Amino acid sequence: MQFVDLNAQFLRVEQEVRNRIDAVLRHGKYIMGPEIGQLESELSTFCGAGHTLTCASGTDALLLPLLAWGIGPGDAVFVPNFTFFATAEVVSLVGATPVFVDVDPVTFCMDPEKLQAAITAVVTGDVSLHPLPKMSSGQRLIPRAVIPVDLFGIAAPYERIIPIAKSAGLYVLQDAAQSFGCEMNGRKACAMGCDAAATSFFPAKPLGCYGDGGAVFTDDSELADIMKSLRVHGKGAHKYDNVRIGINGRMDTLQAAILLAKLEVFSDELEKRQSVAASYSERLAGCAALTLPSVPAGRVSAWAQYSILCSDRDAAVKALAERDVPTAIYYPTPLPFLTVYEPYGYSPEDFPVASRLSKDIFSVPFHPYLSGDSIAIVADALASVAP
Ligand SMILES: Cc1ncc(COP(=O)(O)O)c(C=O)c1O
C-alpha cells in the first residue's frame, strides 16, 4: 500500500498530462510560457481570489508577501508551533522573529485565544501572559503579521483570527500549503479574507505537480504588483531594470501544464477525499483508544492527511507496519524545539498541546484513489491494538 499513490492518479490523467507537456515542448517557452497565465487565471476562478501568482514552491509563496510587506529584523510574526518548518523558516529568513503560538487540541490549528495572549505579551513585554523567545539583545519586538496554518487540510479559525489580527494592526497570511480546495462557510482556501494566502503544489499535496511549485493569492492589486516584481529578481519595467531585491521564484511552464491537467479532475478528487475520510471514520469509530480527526461545522477539509491520536502510537504504527501499511508522523518535533530555535529557550511546558500531539499523532495512507479494501486493512490493524 502506498502512503500517497501518485501513480493511481497519473493513470487517470496521463493522456491530458502528456498532451499538455507536448504542447510546451513544441512552443518551447519554458520560462513564463502561456500556461502560467492560464493556470493563474484558472486558480483565481477556482478559489475566488482577485490575483494569483504562481511561484517556484509553497515556501516562496510564503516568502513573497513577507518581502513585499517589508517584514524584517525587529519584527514579530506569529506562527503556530505545530506545522511544517517552512511556516517559521520564511520568517527567520527575512530576519524577523517567529513567535510560536500553541495549537487547538481538536483542529490542530492556531488557538486564537493564545494568539491574543501572545500579541499582548509582545506589546507589553510581559512573559507571564504568553511564552516569548528569549532575545539575546533584550530588544522589544514589533508585531507585524500572523501566519495561521490550515493543518492537514482544515481552514484555521479565520473568523476569530482575522478580527484579533486587525485590531492589532497585523497582516494575515494564510498558509494553505495543505488545504487548497478546503472550504469555510462557503469560501474556498486562499480567498477567506486574509491579506494574502500561500499554497504548495508539492507532489503529495491535494493539488500537486511533478516537482516543486506554489502560488500566492491576494485581492490587493498593489501587493500583487510588488510580488510580481519580487518573483523575478525585483524587476521594474523590464528584466534588466531591477528596482528592489527579489528572488528567482517563477514556476516552470512544464509544472503549470501538469497542474492544468490535474485541475480538471481536482473537484472530483476532493469529493473522493471526503468519501475516503468518511470510510476511515466509520470503520474506526469503534476504536475507543483512538482520537479521529474531526472537521468543525461549516468547514470542508481538503484532507491532506488523515491524522489520528493514540497514546500507544508505537504499537499502532507497528501493527500497521506488520501488514505493510506505511505511516508518517507529522510532526515529531514542535517547531520551538527544533535545533535551530534552541536559542529561544522554550520548554515543553510552554506548549502543552503541541508537546502532547507530537507524541501521540500519526497519519495513515490517504489519497483519493484509496480502495475500500485498503481502508479495511488499516482499520483491522488498528482495531487489533487500539480496540
Ligand atoms: C504547512 C506548510 N507550509 C509550507 C510548506 C512549504 O511548501 P513547499 O514544500 O512547496 O515549499 C509546506 C510543505 O510541506 C507545508 O506543509
Side-chain angles (χ1 to χ4, degrees), residues 27-61:
H27 68 56
K29 297 189 178 72
Y30 297 113
I31 302 293
M32 296 306 272
E35 285 79 3
I36 294 288
Q38 188 185 341
L39 177 64
E40 290 177 344
S41 146
E42 290 195 18
L43 291 172
S44 290
T45 306
F46 178 87
C47 70
H51 304 272
T52 300
L53 270 83
T54 54
C55 55
S57 66
T59 306
D60 279 358

CSV table of all heavy atoms in Angstrom, one decimal, residues 27-61:
chain,number,residue,atom,x,y,z
A,27,HIS,N,6.1,24.5,-28.2
A,27,HIS,CA,6.2,26.0,-28.2
A,27,HIS,C,7.5,26.5,-27.6
A,27,HIS,O,8.1,27.5,-27.9
A,27,HIS,CB,5.0,26.8,-27.7
A,27,HIS,CG,4.7,26.7,-26.2
A,27,HIS,ND1,5.6,27.0,-25.3
A,27,HIS,CD2,3.6,26.3,-25.6
A,27,HIS,CE1,5.1,26.9,-24.1
A,27,HIS,NE2,3.9,26.5,-24.2
A,28,GLY,N,8.1,25.7,-26.6
A,28,GLY,CA,9.4,25.9,-26.1
A,28,GLY,C,9.5,27.1,-25.2
A,28,GLY,O,10.6,27.5,-24.8
A,29,LYS,N,8.4,27.6,-24.7
A,29,LYS,CA,8.5,28.8,-23.8
A,29,LYS,C,8.5,28.2,-22.4
A,29,LYS,O,7.5,28.3,-21.6
A,29,LYS,CB,7.3,29.7,-24.0
A,29,LYS,CG,7.3,30.4,-25.4
A,29,LYS,CD,6.2,31.4,-25.5
A,29,LYS,CE,6.2,32.1,-26.8
A,29,LYS,NZ,5.7,31.3,-27.9
A,30,TYR,N,9.7,27.8,-21.9
A,30,TYR,CA,9.9,27.1,-20.7
A,30,TYR,C,9.8,28.0,-19.5
A,30,TYR,O,9.5,27.5,-18.4
A,30,TYR,CB,11.2,26.3,-20.6
A,30,TYR,CG,11.2,25.2,-21.7
A,30,TYR,CD1,12.1,25.3,-22.8
A,30,TYR,CD2,10.3,24.2,-21.7
A,30,TYR,CE1,12.1,24.4,-23.8
A,30,TYR,CE2,10.3,23.2,-22.7
A,30,TYR,CZ,11.2,23.3,-23.7
A,30,TYR,OH,11.2,22.4,-24.7
A,31,ILE,N,10.1,29.2,-19.7
A,31,ILE,CA,10.0,30.2,-18.6
A,31,ILE,C,8.9,31.2,-18.9
A,31,ILE,O,8.8,31.8,-19.9
A,31,ILE,CB,11.3,31.0,-18.4
A,31,ILE,CG1,12.5,30.0,-18.2
A,31,ILE,CG2,11.2,32.0,-17.3
A,31,ILE,CD1,12.5,29.3,-16.9
A,32,MET,N,7.9,31.2,-18.0
A,32,MET,CA,6.7,32.1,-18.1
A,32,MET,C,6.0,32.0,-19.4
A,32,MET,O,5.6,32.9,-20.1
A,32,MET,CB,7.2,33.6,-17.9
A,32,MET,CG,7.7,33.9,-16.5
A,32,MET,SD,6.6,33.4,-15.1
A,32,MET,CE,5.6,34.9,-14.9
A,33,GLY,N,5.9,30.7,-19.8
A,33,GLY,CA,5.1,30.4,-21.1
A,33,GLY,C,3.6,30.7,-20.8
A,33,GLY,O,3.2,31.0,-19.7
A,34,PRO,N,2.8,30.5,-21.9
A,34,PRO,CA,1.4,30.9,-21.8
A,34,PRO,C,0.6,30.0,-20.7
A,34,PRO,O,-0.4,30.5,-20.2
A,34,PRO,CB,0.8,30.6,-23.2
A,34,PRO,CG,1.9,29.7,-23.9
A,34,PRO,CD,3.2,30.0,-23.2
A,35,GLU,N,1.1,28.8,-20.4
A,35,GLU,CA,0.4,28.0,-19.4
A,35,GLU,C,0.4,28.7,-18.0
A,35,GLU,O,-0.5,28.4,-17.2
A,35,GLU,CB,1.1,26.6,-19.3
A,35,GLU,CG,0.7,25.7,-20.5
A,35,GLU,CD,1.5,26.0,-21.7
A,35,GLU,OE1,2.4,26.9,-21.7
A,35,GLU,OE2,1.3,25.3,-22.8
A,36,ILE,N,1.4,29.5,-17.8
A,36,ILE,CA,1.5,30.2,-16.5
A,36,ILE,C,0.3,31.1,-16.3
A,36,ILE,O,-0.5,31.0,-15.3
A,36,ILE,CB,2.8,31.0,-16.3
A,36,ILE,CG1,4.0,30.1,-16.3
A,36,ILE,CG2,2.8,31.9,-15.1
A,36,ILE,CD1,4.2,29.2,-15.1
A,37,GLY,N,0.0,32.0,-17.3
A,37,GLY,CA,-1.1,32.9,-17.2
A,37,GLY,C,-2.4,32.2,-17.1
A,37,GLY,O,-3.3,32.5,-16.4
A,38,GLN,N,-2.5,31.1,-17.9
A,38,GLN,CA,-3.7,30.3,-18.0
A,38,GLN,C,-4.0,29.7,-16.6
A,38,GLN,O,-5.1,29.7,-16.1
A,38,GLN,CB,-3.7,29.2,-19.1
A,38,GLN,CG,-5.0,28.5,-19.3
A,38,GLN,CD,-4.9,27.4,-20.2
A,38,GLN,OE1,-4.0,27.3,-21.0
A,38,GLN,NE2,-5.9,26.5,-20.2
A,39,LEU,N,-3.0,29.1,-16.0
A,39,LEU,CA,-3.1,28.5,-14.7
A,39,LEU,C,-3.5,29.5,-13.6
A,39,LEU,O,-4.4,29.3,-12.8
A,39,LEU,CB,-1.8,27.7,-14.3
A,39,LEU,CG,-1.9,27.1,-12.9
A,39,LEU,CD1,-2.9,26.0,-12.8
A,39,LEU,CD2,-0.5,26.6,-12.5
A,40,GLU,N,-2.9,30.6,-13.7
A,40,GLU,CA,-3.2,31.7,-12.7
A,40,GLU,C,-4.6,32.1,-12.8
A,40,GLU,O,-5.3,32.2,-11.8
A,40,GLU,CB,-2.2,32.9,-12.8
A,40,GLU,CG,-0.8,32.5,-12.4
A,40,GLU,CD,0.2,33.6,-12.6
A,40,GLU,OE1,0.0,34.5,-13.4
A,40,GLU,OE2,1.4,33.4,-12.1
A,41,SER,N,-5.1,32.2,-14.0
A,41,SER,CA,-6.5,32.6,-14.2
A,41,SER,C,-7.4,31.5,-13.7
A,41,SER,O,-8.4,31.8,-13.0
A,41,SER,CB,-6.7,33.0,-15.6
A,41,SER,OG,-7.9,32.7,-16.1
A,42,GLU,N,-7.1,30.3,-14.0
A,42,GLU,CA,-8.0,29.2,-13.6
A,42,GLU,C,-8.0,29.0,-12.1
A,42,GLU,O,-9.0,28.6,-11.5
A,42,GLU,CB,-7.6,27.8,-14.3
A,42,GLU,CG,-7.9,27.9,-15.8
A,42,GLU,CD,-7.9,26.6,-16.5
A,42,GLU,OE1,-8.0,25.5,-15.8
A,42,GLU,OE2,-7.8,26.6,-17.7
A,43,LEU,N,-6.8,29.2,-11.5
A,43,LEU,CA,-6.7,29.1,-10.0
A,43,LEU,C,-7.6,30.2,-9.3
A,43,LEU,O,-8.3,29.9,-8.4
A,43,LEU,CB,-5.3,29.2,-9.5
A,43,LEU,CG,-4.4,28.0,-9.9
A,43,LEU,CD1,-2.9,28.2,-9.5
A,43,LEU,CD2,-4.9,26.7,-9.1
A,44,SER,N,-7.5,31.4,-9.9
A,44,SER,CA,-8.3,32.5,-9.4
A,44,SER,C,-9.8,32.2,-9.4
A,44,SER,O,-10.6,32.4,-8.5
A,44,SER,CB,-8.1,33.8,-10.1
A,44,SER,OG,-6.8,34.3,-9.9
A,45,THR,N,-10.2,31.6,-10.6
A,45,THR,CA,-11.6,31.3,-10.8
A,45,THR,C,-12.0,30.2,-9.8
A,45,THR,O,-13.0,30.2,-9.2
A,45,THR,CB,-11.8,30.8,-12.2
A,45,THR,OG1,-11.4,31.8,-13.1
A,45,THR,CG2,-13.3,30.5,-12.5
A,46,PHE,N,-11.1,29.2,-9.6
A,46,PHE,CA,-11.4,28.1,-8.8
A,46,PHE,C,-11.7,28.5,-7.3
A,46,PHE,O,-12.7,28.1,-6.7
A,46,PHE,CB,-10.3,27.0,-8.8
A,46,PHE,CG,-10.6,25.8,-7.9
A,46,PHE,CD1,-11.3,24.8,-8.3
A,46,PHE,CD2,-10.1,25.8,-6.6
A,46,PHE,CE1,-11.6,23.7,-7.5
A,46,PHE,CE2,-10.4,24.8,-5.7
A,46,PHE,CZ,-11.2,23.7,-6.2
A,47,CYS,N,-10.8,29.4,-6.8
A,47,CYS,CA,-10.9,29.7,-5.4
A,47,CYS,C,-11.6,31.0,-5.1
A,47,CYS,O,-12.0,31.3,-4.0
A,47,CYS,CB,-9.5,29.6,-4.7
A,47,CYS,SG,-8.4,30.9,-5.1
A,48,GLY,N,-11.6,31.9,-6.1
A,48,GLY,CA,-12.3,33.2,-5.9
A,48,GLY,C,-11.4,34.3,-5.5
A,48,GLY,O,-11.8,35.3,-5.0
A,49,ALA,N,-10.0,34.1,-5.7
A,49,ALA,CA,-9.1,35.2,-5.3
A,49,ALA,C,-9.0,36.2,-6.4
A,49,ALA,O,-9.2,35.9,-7.6
A,49,ALA,CB,-7.7,34.6,-5.1
A,50,GLY,N,-8.7,37.5,-6.0
A,50,GLY,CA,-8.6,38.5,-7.0
A,50,GLY,C,-7.4,38.4,-7.9
A,50,GLY,O,-7.4,38.6,-9.1
A,51,HIS,N,-6.2,38.0,-7.3
A,51,HIS,CA,-5.0,37.8,-8.1
A,51,HIS,C,-4.3,36.5,-7.6
A,51,HIS,O,-4.2,36.2,-6.4
A,51,HIS,CB,-4.0,39.0,-7.8
A,51,HIS,CG,-4.6,40.3,-8.1
A,51,HIS,ND1,-4.5,40.9,-9.3
A,51,HIS,CD2,-5.2,41.2,-7.3
A,51,HIS,CE1,-5.1,42.1,-9.3
A,51,HIS,NE2,-5.6,42.3,-8.0
A,52,THR,N,-3.8,35.8,-8.6
A,52,THR,CA,-3.0,34.6,-8.3
A,52,THR,C,-1.7,34.7,-9.0
A,52,THR,O,-1.6,35.0,-10.2
A,52,THR,CB,-3.7,33.3,-8.8
A,52,THR,OG1,-5.0,33.2,-8.2
A,52,THR,CG2,-2.9,32.1,-8.5
A,53,LEU,N,-0.6,34.5,-8.3
A,53,LEU,CA,0.8,34.4,-8.9
A,53,LEU,C,1.3,33.1,-8.6
A,53,LEU,O,1.5,32.7,-7.4
A,53,LEU,CB,1.7,35.4,-8.2
A,53,LEU,CG,1.8,36.8,-8.7
A,53,LEU,CD1,0.6,37.6,-8.1
A,53,LEU,CD2,3.1,37.4,-8.2
A,54,THR,N,1.6,32.3,-9.6
A,54,THR,CA,2.3,31.1,-9.4
A,54,THR,C,3.8,31.3,-9.0
A,54,THR,O,4.3,32.4,-9.4
A,54,THR,CB,2.3,30.2,-10.7
A,54,THR,OG1,2.8,30.9,-11.8
A,54,THR,CG2,0.8,29.7,-11.0
A,55,CYS,N,4.4,30.4,-8.3
A,55,CYS,CA,5.8,30.6,-8.0
A,55,CYS,C,6.4,29.2,-7.8
A,55,CYS,O,5.8,28.2,-8.0
A,55,CYS,CB,5.9,31.5,-6.8
A,55,CYS,SG,5.1,30.9,-5.3
A,56,ALA,N,7.7,29.2,-7.4
A,56,ALA,CA,8.5,28.0,-7.5
A,56,ALA,C,8.2,27.0,-6.4
A,56,ALA,O,8.6,25.8,-6.6
A,56,ALA,CB,10.0,28.4,-7.5
A,57,SER,N,7.6,27.4,-5.3
A,57,SER,CA,7.3,26.5,-4.2
A,57,SER,C,6.4,27.1,-3.3
A,57,SER,O,6.1,28.4,-3.3
A,57,SER,CB,8.6,26.1,-3.5
A,57,SER,OG,9.1,27.3,-2.8
A,58,GLY,N,5.8,26.3,-2.4
A,58,GLY,CA,5.0,26.9,-1.3
A,58,GLY,C,5.8,27.8,-0.4
A,58,GLY,O,5.3,28.8,0.2
A,59,THR,N,7.1,27.5,-0.2
A,59,THR,CA,7.9,28.3,0.6
A,59,THR,C,8.1,29.7,0.0
A,59,THR,O,8.0,30.7,0.7
A,59,THR,CB,9.3,27.6,0.8
A,59,THR,OG1,9.1,26.3,1.3
A,59,THR,CG2,10.2,28.3,1.8
A,60,ASP,N,8.3,29.7,-1.3
A,60,ASP,CA,8.4,31.1,-1.9
A,60,ASP,C,7.1,31.8,-1.8
A,60,ASP,O,7.1,33.0,-1.7
A,60,ASP,CB,8.8,30.9,-3.4
A,60,ASP,CG,10.3,30.7,-3.6
A,60,ASP,OD1,11.0,30.7,-2.6
A,60,ASP,OD2,10.8,30.5,-4.7
A,61,ALA,N,6.0,31.1,-1.9
A,61,ALA,CA,4.7,31.7,-1.8
A,61,ALA,C,4.5,32.4,-0.4
A,61,ALA,O,3.8,33.4,-0.3
A,61,ALA,CB,3.6,30.7,-2.1
